Amino acid sequence: MCAMVDLEKCFEVASNLVATAGQVSTENYLELFHSRNYSECSQFVYLFQVICRNNDNRQAFELKSNDIDLVTQTDKNVEKLLMEGILRAFPTHKFIGEEESSAEGGVKKLTDDPTWIIDPVDGTMNFVHAFPHSCVSVGLKVNKVTELALIYNPMLEQLFTARRGHGAFCNGKRISVSGQKEIGKALVTSEFGTTRDEAKMKVVIENFAKMSKKVHGFRVLGSAALNMAMVALGAADANYEFGIHAWDVCAGDLIVREAGGVVIDPAGGEFDIMSRRVLAAATPELAQDITKELTQFYPLPRDD
């Protein structure tokens, strides 16, 4: 199947469209959009401008599963525009998207078909409060293997990209993990997550307490995808979380690994994108040390 997919074209279309975000005004987009000759690029440029413009003020939102699991109209618009833009270039490709999955009552089954896994606004709570730490996260899987990834924070103009076997980049510059092996010297990120399930919160708080005594520094920044991007950049040394979804970590998984890091299950086994559990680290040694400290939690239902 992979040999039948033009990955070069997939990456070129996706990365070029994202990289040009912010360079074309909304007025130019609207002019292009209402013509019959508009390109995929105009839609991608527009959707990222939508995020930047809307982040200037606090946003209205709807509740999904609970009062901290939020969705804005921007989430819906961005996911719709992404899917429509990709389908014009690749009409047979499949999608697993956060808002699509929420609307349809569950995650679509991951198959061997080329599948784009999309989080239109990762860090929606930040976005709702005009805290400038949100991103679009896009990964492409073929034969269930992630082949390319993009994470873009338009407020800070940070574009993280990777292709399997080609390295990881931030704004076109190659990046690598920190190489940190010692837990006592590591800056670690994690999240509270988007549920207030009592059993999960007990584990989250217990792990926060344990990790804060072991690591050099601990951060909760509000975006799973950007946490993983920070590991790839070498700005953070590790990230773990229980309760994330496939769209939160698909792109980050590849970007971290292409930057020289490791992505595993928090108990030390192989990473399973559908398990809703992740541990990314600069080195295997650091990853394994963190697994020894964590109290484990297995979120249900899984994404598959």
Side-chain angles (χ1 to χ4, degrees), residues 85-157:
I86 291 169
L87 280 173
R88 277 195 297 276
F90 312 107
T92 64
H93 288 195
K94 310 298 184 186
F95 296 91
I96 294 175
E98 177 174 13
E99 307 319 326
E100 176 194 44
S101 298
S102 177
E104 295 183 2
V107 180
K108 288 184 177 178
K109 185 175 179 61
L110 179 63
T111 68
D112 288 339
D113 293 333
T115 302
W116 296 81
I117 300 182
I118 297 170
D119 193 340
V121 180
D122 185 57
T124 302
M125 181 68 78
N126 286 347
F127 182 67
V128 162
H129 288 272
F131 187 87
H133 194 73
S134 304
C135 68
V136 179
S137 179
V138 179
L140 174 63
K141 280 186 173 287
V142 182
N143 295 325
K144 299 179 182 175
V145 175
T146 308
E147 295 289 348
L148 64 87
L150 304 96
I151 294 174
Y152 184 53
N153 180 344
M155 283 71 72
L156 299 183
E157 297 186 354

Side-chain angles (χ1 to χ4, degrees), residues 35 61 101 204 284 287:
S35 76
F61 58 88
S101 298
V204 168

Side-chain angles (χ1 to χ4, degrees), residues 11 149-152 157-163 165-179 225-236 251-262 281-282:
F11 188 78
L150 304 96
I151 294 174
Y152 184 53
E157 297 186 354
Q158 287 182 315
L159 173 63
F160 299 90
T161 59
R163 271 192 63 188
H166 292 260
F169 299 83
C170 179
N171 294 342
K173 181 179 179 180
R174 190 151 191 161
I175 58 176
S176 62
V177 296
S178 67
L226 286 173
N227 284 346
M228 295 186 75
M230 291 301 102
V231 175
L233 186 63
D253 168 39
L254 181 63
I255 293 170
V256 168
R257 289 188 285 109
E258 287 296 320
V262 296

